[in-house]
Amino acid sequence: MPGIDKLPIEETLEDSPQTRSLLGVFEEDAAAISSYVNQLYRAMHRIYDAQNELSAATHLTSKLLKEYEKQRFPLGGDDEVMSCTLQQFAKVIDELSSCHAVLSTQLADAMMFPITQFKERDLKEILTLKEVFQIASNDHDAAINRYSRLSKRRENEKVKFEVVEDVYTSRKKQHQTMMHYFCALNTLQYKKKISMLEPLLGYMQAQISFFKMGSENLTEHLEEFLTNIGTSVQNVRREMESEVETMQQTIEDLEVASDPLYLPDPDTTKFPVHRNLTRKAGYLNARNKTGLVSSSWERQFYFTQGGNLMSQARGDVAGGLVMDIDNCSVMAVDCEDRRYCFQITSFDGKKSSILQAESKKDSEEWICTINNISKQIYLSENAEEIAARVNQSALEAVTPSPSFQQRHESMRPTIRTNPFGESGGSKSETEDSILHQLFIVRFLGSMEVKYDETPDVVYETMRQILAARAIHNIFRMTESHLLVTCDCLKLIDPQTQVTRLRFPLPNIALYATHQENKRLFGFVLRTSGGRAESRPTSVCYIFESNNEGEKICDSVGLAKQIALHAELGRRASEKQKEIERVKEKQQKELSKQKQIEKDLEEQSRLIAASSRPTQSSGEGQFVVLSSSQSEDSDLGEEGKKKRESEA
C-alpha cells in the first residue's frame, strides 16, 4: 500500500544508530496509536452500552404500555380510547425493541469485536515484543562489554570461549527479536487502518440494517395512525391551554373578589347575612365534654343534606350523620371561652350540640339555615322564595311551610276508608286490596346487596348511599307517593298519578328503618334473575319520609300479614273445594253403581219370569218368548230403558 512507512528488517543485524532512531519514531507512533485506540474503544463501547440500554428501556416501555389497562387510576382509569391507543403504541414499540435488540447484536459482532481484537491482541503483542527486544538488547550489550575486557594471556582461553559463546547467543537472540519486532511494527501500520475502518464499517452497516427494518415497520397505516394521534395531542394541548387560561383568569378574579373575605370576621354591613339559605357547608368547631366542667373543641367540616346535619373530618372519604335537624331548635349561646357559638337541639330534646363559627356572619347564616331546614322549607320546590317569605314574616316562632302532602292533596285520586283506619287510593286500582295506605317519600337510591336476613344489610346500604350522595353533592330529591297494598308497593308520580315502580309484596324479603334517623327506611327486594342466569339477586331500596319510616314499615308488615292470611284462606278454600269435588265424584260413582245393581235385578227378574214352561211334551220342554221380550233381550239394557220410558 503506498504511503506506508516501514522499518528496514535487513539492517537489524547492523543495528546502527539511524536504525535505532527510526525505531524510536515507530515506537512513538505505536504508543500514539494505542492511546487513540483506547479512546476510540471507550467511545464505541459507550455506543454499544447505550444501544443495549435503549433496547432494554424500549422493551420495558412496551411492557408498561401493555399493562396500562390493568392499572386502577382514581381518575380517568376507564378511558377505552386511551387504552386502545396505548396498546397500539405498545405493539409498535415492541417491534422497535426487537429491531434494537438486533442492532445490539450486530454492533457487538461488527463493531466491538474488531476493535477489541486489535486492542487486546495486536497492541499487546507490540508491547510484549518491545519488552523482549529491550531485554535482548541489554543482554547483547553486556556480552559485548565482557568480550571487550578479555585478557591477552593464554590461560584465559576457557573464559574467552565462554564470552564468545555468550556474544553469539545474545547477538542471535537480539537479531531475531529485532526482526520480529520490526515486522510487528511494520504490520501495525496496516492494522491501525483496518482496526479503525472495520468497526466503523460494521457500525454503519448495522445502522443501515436497523433503519431498513424500521422503514419496513413504519408503514403508511402507521403513519396515518401517528398523524391522527398527533392531531389529537394538539387538540388536547389547545384545550389544556384554553383551560389554563380560564383557570388563571378565574384565579385572578377570585383573588380580587376574595381579598375582603380573607379576614376571619368580615364586617356584616359590607357583607350582609344570607337568611334564606336551605343548604350550607363549612368548617365549625364542635365542643366535646371531657369532664364535668372541662371540654375540648374539634374542628370539622359540617354540611347539611336534606334534613340532616353531617360532619366530615379532613381526610375522610365520606361524612357521618350528626343530627336530624327536622323540627329542631337552634339558638345562639354564650360560651365562657368561645365567641360566635350556637346550640342545636333535636326535636325530642334528647340530643344537642354546641358549635362555634368563625365569624358573626357565619354564625347567623348557620342559625338561619338550620332554622329554615327545621321548618322543612327544603322540601319545597322554590325553597329560597318560601324562606324569604317566612323570614320577612313578623312571626318569630316556628312556622312550617305547607308540606308536600298538602300541596298535592288536590291531585290525589278518590280516597276511600279501609277497615284499618288508613286512607286509600282510587277504587279502581284497589278494589281487590283490603289495605290501602299512601305516604310521601323521597327516593335516595338503590344498590344490589347480599341478602343475609338481618337489618344490617339495610343499615349498611343507607350508610353507603348517604355517603355517595354527600361525596357527589347530590342533595335534590324527587318526591313521590308510596302506595302500600296487600299485593304490592307502588311508587306513584304525584303530578300524573303514573306508577313509576312496582314492587310485588311477596318479593319484599326485609324492611327496616334507620336506627337513629327514623325518617330513613328501606327494604330488600328479591328478584329471580340477575347478572348470572338462574341466580336470584337482592336489591335494597332506600327512601326518606316525613318522620314516617316506622309507620311505613308497620304498614308493609301489616300488608304482608293480610296477604299471608288471605293466602292461607285461599289455600283452605281451594282445599275445601277439592274435598267437595272428591265427595261429589264419589257420590256420582255410588249412584251409578246403585243404578247398575238395580238394572241387573230387573233383568234377572224378567229372565226368571220368561223362563216359566208354556208347553210341554213327554220328552222335553221349550219356552216361547213374546216378540217384545225377544226384542228386549236383543236390545239389552238400552232397550229396556227405552220401553220403560215409553210405558
Side-chain angles (χ1 to χ4, degrees):
M1 179 181 288
I4 299 297
D5 296 324
K6 298 180 182 179
L7 285 169
I9 298 177
E10 58 274 6
E11 297 179 0
T12 53
L13 183 60
E14 182 181 356
D15 194 18
S16 64
Q18 292 80 5
T19 304
R20 285 292 183 111
S21 177
L22 185 60
L23 176 62
V25 174
F26 273 76
E27 288 178 344
E28 289 180 3
D29 184 72
I33 291 174
S34 178
S35 175
Y36 179 78
V37 167
N38 285 332
Q39 297 179 18
L40 185 62
Y41 172 81
R42 288 193 293 268
M44 290 185 175
H45 205 284
R46 287 185 62 183
I47 294 176
Y48 176 66
D49 291 341
Q51 182 59 40
N52 287 335
E53 179 63 25
L54 179 60
S55 177
T58 307
H59 178 71
L60 178 61
T61 302
S62 174
K63 181 180 178 181
L64 290 175
L65 292 178
K66 291 178 181 178
E67 294 177 353
Y68 175 82
E69 59 183 2
K70 300 179 182 179
Q71 305 299 315
R72 294 294 178 266
F73 298 104
L75 299 176
D78 55 349
D79 191 348
E80 293 294 337
V81 176
M82 186 66 175
S83 179
C84 294
T85 303
L86 292 183
Q87 290 297 318
Q88 183 69 18
F89 270 116
K91 182 179 179 181
V92 176
I93 293 175
D94 195 26
E95 295 177 357
L96 292 177
S97 175
S98 301
C99 296
H100 282 294
V102 173
L103 177 59
S104 298
T105 304
Q106 292 178 346
L107 290 178
D109 296 337
M111 182 181 73
M112 295 306 301
F113 181 74
I115 195 169
T116 302
Q117 287 290 97
F118 178 70
K119 176 178 176 292
E120 298 295 335
R121 185 181 64 184
D122 298 332
L123 293 180
K124 282 188 176 181
E125 181 184 4
I126 295 293
L127 184 61
T128 302
L129 288 174
K130 180 180 180 181
E131 294 177 355
V132 172
F133 170 70
Q134 191 65 38
I135 293 172
S137 178
N138 293 335
D139 292 344
H140 179 259
D141 291 341
I144 290 295
N145 288 333
R146 287 195 300 275
Y147 178 76
S148 300
R149 292 194 299 270
L150 285 176
S151 176
K152 298 179 179 180
R153 299 177 182 178
R154 291 180 62 86
E155 58 269 15
N156 292 331
E157 287 295 330
K158 183 178 180 180
V159 176
K160 181 180 178 181
F161 177 79
E162 293 177 355
V163 171
V164 171
E165 185 69 21
D166 190 17
V167 170
Y168 172 81
T169 303
S170 62
R171 182 170 290 176
K172 181 179 180 181
K173 181 179 179 181
Q174 178 187 354
H175 185 223
Q176 293 177 349
T177 304
M178 194 172 185
M179 287 190 296
H180 288 290
Y181 185 36
F182 276 28
C183 180
L185 288 175
N186 291 337
T187 307
L188 181 63
Q189 298 303 311
Y190 294 91
K191 287 185 176 180
K192 71 177 182 180
K193 299 180 183 298
I194 297 173
S195 64
M196 295 179 190
L197 295 178
E198 276 189 349
L200 295 176
L201 180 63
Y203 171 75
M204 295 305 299
Q205 289 177 346
Q207 292 291 345
I208 291 172
S209 176
F210 170 74
F211 288 127
K212 284 183 178 179
M213 288 189 294
S215 63
E216 293 175 358
N217 293 329
L218 298 175
T219 59
E220 294 181 359
H221 176 71
L222 181 59
E223 291 179 358
E224 182 181 357
F225 168 73
L226 295 178
T227 302
N228 295 335
I229 296 301
T231 304
S232 300
V233 170
Q234 293 300 324
N235 292 336
V236 173
R237 185 180 296 278
R238 285 193 294 269
E239 183 179 353
M240 179 191 69
E241 292 175 353
S242 175
E243 186 65 23
V244 169
E245 292 179 1
T246 303
M247 290 189 293
Q248 291 292 342
Q249 185 63 40
T250 303
I251 290 174
E252 294 177 2
D253 296 341
L254 288 176
E255 286 179 349
V256 175
S258 302
D259 186 70
L261 301 178
Y262 294 150
L263 294 174
D265 192 6
D267 189 359
T268 55
T269 58
K270 297 181 180 179
F271 301 95
V273 178
H274 298 284
R275 303 183 181 277
N276 304 329
L277 300 176
T278 56
R279 290 185 299 172
K280 188 168 176 60
Y283 282 96
L284 296 172
N285 294 324
R287 189 175 74 169
N288 299 319
K289 289 186 177 181
T290 57
L292 294 176
V293 294
S294 60
S295 60
S296 63
W297 295 81
E298 182 180 5
R299 180 178 172 84
Q300 284 191 347
F301 186 81
Y302 285 79
F303 59 94
T304 61
Q305 181 177 351
N308 299 322
L309 179 64
M310 314 288 287
S311 69
Q312 183 175 354
R314 184 174 294 175
D316 289 351
V317 178
L321 178 66
V322 176
M323 187 184 302
D324 180 5
I325 53 178
D326 270 347
N327 299 321
C328 72
S329 61
V330 58
M331 65 179 66
V333 294
D334 185 15
C335 292
E336 63 279 358
D337 57 344
R338 298 280 176 142
R339 301 179 300 167
Y340 312 132
C341 296
F342 57 94
Q343 180 175 349
I344 307 173
T345 305
S346 61
F347 68 96
D348 55 3
K350 295 181 180 180
K351 190 173 183 180
S352 64
S353 179
I354 295 179
L355 305 173
Q356 180 197 17
E358 193 175 75
S359 63
K360 182 179 180 181
K361 173 180 177 296
D362 199 24
S363 174
E364 292 183 4
E365 286 184 352
W366 271 105
I367 292 174
C368 293
T369 302
I370 295 174
N371 189 33
N372 292 335
I373 293 175
S374 70
K375 300 172 185 177
Q376 299 183 353
I377 297 177
Y378 69 94
L379 299 175
S380 307
E381 295 180 358
N382 301 320
E384 291 191 3
E385 296 181 4
I386 295 177
R389 291 198 300 267
V390 171
N391 288 322
Q392 290 175 1
S393 175
L395 297 177
E396 297 180 357
V398 176
T399 307
S401 63
S403 65
F404 182 88
Q405 182 177 359
Q406 294 172 347
R407 287 188 286 111
H408 292 284
E409 191 72 32
S410 60
M411 299 182 183
R412 291 187 179 180
T414 306
I415 306 298
R416 67 182 179 87
T417 304
N418 60 61
F420 297 93
E422 298 293 340
S423 60
S426 62
K427 184 175 181 180
S428 61
E429 293 182 355
T430 60
E431 286 185 358
D432 296 333
S433 178
I434 299 176
L435 180 66
H436 178 90
Q437 289 181 306
L438 197 65
F439 300 95
I440 309 300
V441 296
R442 290 168 292 280
F443 179 63
L444 298 181
S446 64
M447 60 183 293
E448 187 173 336
V449 296
K450 184 177 181 181
Y451 180 56
D452 59 359
E453 299 184 356
T454 60
D456 294 338
V457 65
V458 180
Y459 304 150
E460 179 63 20
T461 305
M462 289 178 180
R463 187 191 67 79
Q464 293 186 23
I465 289 179
L466 290 177
R469 294 176 70 90
I471 291 174
H472 298 288
N473 295 324
I474 302 174
F475 300 107
R476 187 174 183 84
M477 296 174 287
T478 303
E479 295 182 341
S480 304
H481 288 169
L482 181 66
L483 179 64
V484 181
T485 67
C486 297
D487 300 326
C488 63
L489 271 65
K490 289 184 179 180
L491 203 62
I492 302 173
D493 189 337
Q495 299 283 352
T496 61
Q497 296 300 312
V498 175
T499 301
R500 294 173 177 168
L501 292 174
R502 183 181 184 277
F503 309 103
L505 193 64
N507 293 355
I508 297 177
L510 183 65
Y511 49 90
T513 60
H514 195 275
Q515 295 163 309
E516 297 179 0
N517 187 356
K518 299 304 180 182
R519 295 187 302 106
L520 299 178
F521 76 97
F523 57 83
V524 177
L525 187 72
R526 298 276 289 176
T527 58
S528 58
R531 296 177 183 173
E533 295 182 358
S534 69
R535 180 178 67 86
T537 59
S538 300
V539 180
C540 185
Y541 293 84
I542 304 301
F543 296 87
E544 183 185 43
S545 65
N546 299 335
N547 294 322
E548 294 181 330
E550 291 184 346
K551 189 175 181 181
I552 295 175
C553 289
D554 294 340
S555 179
V556 174
L558 180 60
K560 291 184 76 68
Q561 290 181 6
I562 295 174
L564 177 61
H565 289 305
E567 179 67 17
L568 293 177
R570 184 184 64 81
R571 292 181 181 179
S573 177
E574 290 180 354
K575 188 175 181 180
Q576 184 64 30
K577 290 180 180 179
E578 183 66 24
I579 293 173
E580 291 177 357
R581 284 196 296 269
V582 172
K583 289 182 178 180
E584 184 178 356
K585 185 177 180 181
Q586 292 176 351
Q587 188 67 28
K588 288 182 178 179
E589 292 291 337
L590 184 59
S591 300
K592 186 176 180 181
Q593 185 67 26
K594 290 181 178 181
Q595 183 64 34
I596 291 172
E597 292 177 355
K598 183 178 179 181
D599 293 340
L600 290 175
E601 291 178 358
E602 181 66 23
Q603 185 177 4
S604 300
R605 185 181 63 79
L606 292 175
I607 291 173
S610 61
S611 61
R612 295 173 183 174
T614 58
Q615 191 177 10
S616 62
S617 64
E619 295 179 358
Q621 297 179 358
F622 62 90
V623 178
V624 179
L625 299 178
S626 65
S627 62
S628 61
Q629 290 174 344
S630 176
E631 290 176 0
D632 289 343
S633 63
D634 293 336
L635 292 176
E637 186 179 351
E638 293 181 359
K640 294 178 191 178
K641 290 182 179 181
K642 183 176 181 183
R643 293 184 63 85
E644 289 176 359
S645 62
E646 290 176 356

